[in-house]
Amino acid sequence: MDSTKGETDILYLNEDDMIEAGVLDAGRCVDVMEETMGLLSDGDCLMGGPNHDAHGLMLFFPKESPIPGFPLNDSADRRFIAMPAYLGGRFYKAGVKWYGSNGRNKSRGLPRSILMFMLNDVETGMPLAYMSANLLSAMRTGAMPGLAVRKLARPDSEVLTILGPGVIGKANYLAVMSQMKNIKTVMIKGSSPESKSAKKFVDFIHKHTPQIKDIHICATMEEAIRPADIVVEAISCKEGEWPEYKAEWFKPGVTFICTNAFNMEYRSIVDMRKVVDNLGMFVNYADEDDEGYDENGNRDHTGCMGEDFVYMSRDGLLDLDTVDQLGDIVRGKKPGRKSDDEMILVSIEGIPIEDVAWGCECYEQALKKGIGTKLKLWDQPKAL
């Protein structure tokens, strides 16, 4: 459909349509994320916020209100987020992901987060597609660690550690495994060795990568991390209860990719290489949070690896210019892995141009395959 020719149908893609359109193709999603990060490096994109690099606009509820029945922040991750962006290159589309979340949804038989995505023609503003976005969002999130290992991990990596065996952990696993053909061992760390999610993850590994026979559910972080060539984190935890890592657990040559929760002693990571998806976003986080210091004069932790890098620079522990961006590595402006022993920390938070890119790819595949339901916007636009 080309909205510049007067067409006014919107393509609606439900979850089954998205699967048929290829939303679960992890390897292809990594390819598309590489294109996306290259365009970010080129500056051929726009996001929200005053510097056009914001994660999105958050709508948080108060913890209490004098208004009867007013929605309260009384469960895990209760919020709404609008994540708008424009992406150039071959995509040349705008879009927005609308994200609603409530920790009580599980008791209602619903996912904690429910997401939809709108894709728009950038010239006319016409909506082109409206699509179910839970799988879209999970796969583009997982594809970024896949891109990170493509560019930064040792090709001979054999041991992969998954911290947090939930939905995003599964997406991370599929993307990493699409890139790393020498993985022989998978270490899993869930909330406990008996956790249902960890055991389900073993079944997931058997289903999607039956060649992997050496699988370990670990009792501690240290046990999971010490043998790893690649560590990918996607842990769900309460605010302020960040998992703590020790530098001595990581072996030379490791690639540690953090997508959610992080806490390491700042001075212990000064000499490790640092890579992020979008440095400006982490600077924004640091400005907004303005984390202070504890009673001993030590900077408080944020739970966000990239934001911690910014605070380290402000405390004189590193030069922010030494923090590389993944898109600059894609474009060859910065090198990939420099040596077999180089220890690399990668902070991936997710940015809305990724949704536009993968949403656009799924939309184009749906058009080619005749997938989806057309929704009529109007026969003729009406105005007062």
Side-chain angles (χ1 to χ4, degrees), residues 15 47 53 93-94 168 206 231 271 358 382:
E15 193 169 64
M47 290 171 277
D53 57 6
K93 297 287 190 299
I168 300 305
H206 289 319
V231 178
D271 294 331
W358 196 226
K382 296 176 176 62

Side-chain angles (χ1 to χ4, degrees), residues 232-249:
V232 186
E233 175 278 333
I235 293 172
S236 179
C237 62
K238 293 181 180 179
E239 181 80 17
E241 296 181 5
W242 323 120
E244 186 172 358
Y245 310 98
K246 301 291 185 183
E248 59 265 26
W249 297 346

